[in-house]
Amino acid sequence: MNASNDFYSFFHSYFGKDTFIVLEGIETIEDLKVAEQLGIHAGQGYYLGKPAQLAIGS
């Protein structure tokens, strides 16, 4: 069994199969590839987009 299957099996056996997984700290293409291999549903990090100021009341 590979790391991807181990993570996926552990996470879903612990939290349930309907759990939506969000990974923070995706800083490089390598991080993104690992997230995809692990079956992550969504992510956040500098590689995906730098933080921006909210335009409240514009």
Side-chain angles (χ1 to χ4, degrees), residues 23 26-28 32 42-50:
L23 179 67
I26 299 174
E27 309 296 326
T28 65
L32 182 59
Q44 175 276 326
Y46 276 97
Y47 183 75
L48 301 173
K50 294 183 181 180

Side-chain angles (χ1 to χ4, degrees), residues 28-40:
T28 65
I29 185 67
E30 290 81 17
D31 293 341
L32 182 59
K33 288 178 182 178
V34 170
E36 290 172 342
Q37 291 170 354
L38 292 174
I40 302 298

Side-chain angles (χ1 to χ4, degrees), residues 7-35:
F7 172 82
Y8 195 83
S9 295
F10 164 77
F11 193 90
H12 288 289
S13 66
Y14 189 80
F15 291 104
K17 295 194 182 297
D18 295 329
T19 303
F20 188 82
I21 305 169
V22 179
L23 179 67
E24 293 191 21
I26 299 174
E27 309 296 326
T28 65
I29 185 67
E30 290 81 17
D31 293 341
L32 182 59
K33 288 178 182 178
V34 170

